């Protein structure tokens, strides 16, 4: 077989494995999303993906489907097979035991417990290993897991909704609803893939936000999957430096966990988990907060908040990606801005990269990298 043909086959099957991994987009947290395809004599004999933490990894599920046909086959995996015992046995051991001849992998696992060790195990067992096929596409599956492993910080995604003239609310604070139902369903998917959702106390006081993932708004036809997603519920984090959270707030009554962040030394008498953070005139220490969330295995963090806190995240260069929904309307010069940023000169403007633009219903969604 020519090198060009072999590479073409590698790309074809790795793309299939990446597609499988995406099926775990909303359910694997805090584990990475991984897919696996097992091929023998040009035919797929087994495939699988990691669905949920504590359950079988992608390789285990694919090997179970392949059975004896895994002997002498090639396994395509989107992430280096694990080499250590966690909640499940090492996948590298499973591949060796099954007798696969080759493992083609998209990328090395950034987890220090695994990085390179899985490949070494396979090679020591006489299995040929190829690494780097569709690596960028594989990295895109797990931006939060990769960043947390490489830097000790979660991947921060800022979600905002505005009018065409860049307003997020009227001067009174009225903001429901700027965007349409399709965009709001899309936001539910952003929440569902996130480990935590961060907001400020003003959003709670003004809108009594729940910040929950709701099956009725997800737009996913698979009822079993929707139920699994809703049961997981991301951690809800409220920044409340002065301890103004009302005991009657809906966010305290919802399924899932809520974390209240207050300034150091402030006592809170509410039935909710509380953390104390350093603070200054600008508010709570956001870097300290993100480090706390990373220590709790939070991979992707979604920030849903008003212009002031959103501006602080941007100004402190803590945002990796911004998802901006723009509704086809104007809200006028007295409306509230998208971001509060203390910029006074054109030279201070912040350049960003718009990496994706598409229509979500009647609204435009821009995905922006900083």
């Amino acid at each position: 077989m020519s090198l060009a043909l072999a590479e073409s086959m590698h790309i074809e099957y790795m793309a299939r494995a990446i597609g499988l991994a995406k099926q775990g987009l909303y359910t694997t947290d805090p584990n990475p999303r991984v897919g696996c395809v097992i091929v023998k004599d040009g035919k797929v004999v087994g495939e699988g993906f990691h669905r949920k933490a504590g359950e079988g990894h992608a390789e285990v599920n694919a090997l179970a489907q392949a059975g004896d046909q895994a002997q002498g086959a090639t396994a395509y995996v989107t992430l280096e097979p694990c080499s250590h015992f966690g909640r499940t046995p090492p996948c590298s051991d499973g591949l060796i035991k099954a007798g696969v001849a080759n493992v083609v992998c998209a990328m090395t696992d950034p987890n220090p417990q695994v990085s390179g060790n899985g490949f070494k195990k396979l090679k020591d067992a006489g299995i040929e290993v190829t690494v780097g096929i569709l690596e960028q596409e594989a990295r895109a599956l797990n931006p939060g897991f990769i960043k947390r492993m490489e830097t000790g910080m979660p991947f921060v995604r800022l979600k905002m909704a505005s009018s065409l003239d860049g307003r997020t609310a009227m001067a009174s604070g009225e903001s429901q609803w700027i965007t349409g139902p399709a965009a709001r369903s899309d936001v539910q998917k952003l929440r569902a893939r996130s480990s935590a959702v961060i907001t400020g106390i003003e959003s709670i006081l003004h809108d009594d936000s729940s910040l929950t993932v709701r099956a009725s708004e997800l737009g996913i036809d698979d009822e079993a999957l929707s139920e699994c997603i809703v049961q997981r519920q991301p951690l809800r984090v409220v920044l409340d430096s002065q301890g103004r959270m009302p005991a009657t707030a809906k966010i305290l009554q919802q399924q899932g966990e809520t974390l209240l962040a207050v300034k150091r030394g402030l006592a809170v008498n509410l039935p909710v988990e509380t953390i104390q953070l350093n603070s200054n005139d600008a508010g709570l220490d956001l870097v300290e907060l993100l480090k706390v969330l990373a220590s709790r295995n939070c991979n992707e963090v979604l920030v849903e908040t008003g212009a002031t806190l959103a501006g602080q995240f941007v100004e402190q260069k803590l945002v990796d990606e911004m998802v901006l929904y723009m509704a086809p309307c104007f809200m006028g010069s007295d409306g509230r801005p998208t971001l509060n940023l203390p910029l006074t000169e054109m030279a201070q403007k912040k350049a960003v990269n718009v990496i994706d633009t598409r229509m979500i219903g009647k609204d435009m969604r821009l995905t922006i990298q900083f």
Side-chain angles (χ1 to χ4, degrees):
M1 182 185 298
S2 68
L3 288 176
L5 181 57
E7 184 175 358
S8 176
M9 289 178 59
H10 287 345
I11 290 173
E12 176 187 350
Y13 292 124
M14 189 61 73
R16 183 164 178 161
I18 288 171
L20 287 167
K22 289 178 180 178
Q23 294 185 50
L25 183 65
Y26 307 117
T27 56
T28 64
D29 192 78
N31 289 356
R33 300 133 187 162
V34 183
C36 178
V37 174
I38 298 176
V39 179
K40 188 172 186 178
D41 299 329
K43 295 182 180 179
V44 174
V45 296
E47 58 184 21
F49 67 97
H50 183 42
R51 179 180 174 87
K52 188 177 180 181
E55 296 183 1
H57 288 188
E59 299 93 322
V60 171
N61 295 331
L63 288 171
Q65 190 178 103
D68 293 341
Q69 295 184 86
Q71 181 77 35
T74 297
Y76 292 85
V77 193
T78 58
L79 185 68
E80 178 181 0
C82 60
S83 56
H84 67 290
F85 279 89
R87 294 167 72 177
T88 58
C91 291
S92 52
D93 289 356
L95 291 166
I96 293 168
K97 185 178 179 180
V100 300
N102 305 280
V103 171
V104 179
C105 196
M107 61 174 289
T108 301
D109 193 327
N111 184 346
Q113 289 185 294
V114 179
S115 188
N117 295 325
F119 293 147
K120 184 178 185 303
K121 260 192 174 185
L122 296 173
K123 291 176 182 177
D124 288 348
I127 296 174
E128 184 177 338
V129 176
T130 302
V131 185
I133 304 298
L134 297 186
E135 180 173 357
Q136 290 309 307
E137 291 82 352
R139 290 183 68 89
L141 288 169
N142 298 295
F145 177 78
I146 293 171
K147 186 182 178 187
R148 180 167 65 86
M149 289 298 166
E150 291 180 345
T151 70
M153 295 281 277
F155 183 92
V156 177
R157 182 178 287 113
L158 172 64
K159 168 262 167 182
M160 301 295 290
S162 79
S163 59
L164 288 177
D165 52 348
R167 304 298 171 177
T168 60
M170 305 306 289
S172 64
E174 182 185 358
S175 62
Q176 296 180 329
W177 297 100
I178 297 174
T179 55
R184 295 199 295 274
S185 177
D186 202 57
V187 172
Q188 287 283 308
K189 293 181 174 66
L190 289 182
R191 287 183 187 176
R193 68 176 292 167
S194 302
S195 305
V197 180
I198 298 174
T199 196
I201 187 61
E202 294 296 339
S203 296
I204 303 300
L205 296 176
H206 191 277
D207 299 326
D208 200 14
S209 306
S210 298
L211 298 184
T212 53
V213 177
R214 297 179 285 275
S216 61
E217 296 179 34
L218 270 172
I220 295 176
D221 294 332
D222 187 330
E223 291 186 10
L225 176 59
S226 291
E227 181 61 27
C228 183
I229 293 170
V230 169
Q231 285 181 353
R232 192 185 70 81
Q233 290 295 333
L235 174 69
R236 299 178 293 268
V237 183
V238 182
L239 275 65
D240 182 17
S241 60
Q242 302 300 319
R244 294 185 291 158
M245 173 71 76
T248 56
K250 285 195 301 186
I251 200 168
L252 301 180
Q253 322 302 327
Q254 305 297 326
Q255 176 185 350
E257 299 179 30
T258 297
L259 180 66
L260 193 65
V262 302
K263 69 178 181 180
R264 200 167 299 283
L266 182 70
V268 175
N269 186 25
L270 286 173
V272 62
E273 183 182 1
T274 304
I275 57 168
Q276 297 184 351
L277 302 176
N278 293 320
S279 61
N280 52 38
D281 292 341
L284 297 175
D285 188 327
L286 300 181
V287 172
E288 185 181 7
L289 171 67
L290 293 175
K291 288 181 178 179
V292 168
L293 294 180
S295 72
R296 296 173 67 123
N297 295 328
C298 289
N299 292 326
E300 296 179 29
V301 169
L302 180 65
V303 179
E304 288 193 62
T305 189
T308 300
L309 183 55
Q312 290 173 3
F313 269 95
V314 172
E315 187 178 10
Q316 295 180 40
K317 299 180 179 180
L318 298 175
V319 178
D320 297 290
E321 180 179 282
M322 178 176 178
V323 180
L324 173 63
Y325 299 88
M326 297 189 72
C329 65
F330 296 100
M331 294 171 61
S333 57
D334 289 338
R336 298 185 179 184
T338 308
L339 299 171
N340 281 348
L341 288 174
L343 308 180
T344 57
E345 301 176 5
M346 186 62 72
Q348 295 176 303
K349 68 181 185 296
K350 293 185 178 294
V352 296
N353 295 319
V354 179
I355 61 172
D356 184 74
T357 303
R358 65 185 66 198
M359 298 302 296
I360 306 292
K362 295 182 178 180
D363 304 306
M364 180 183 295
R365 186 186 73 191
L366 284 74
T367 304
I368 299 162
Q369 285 185 343
F370 287 84

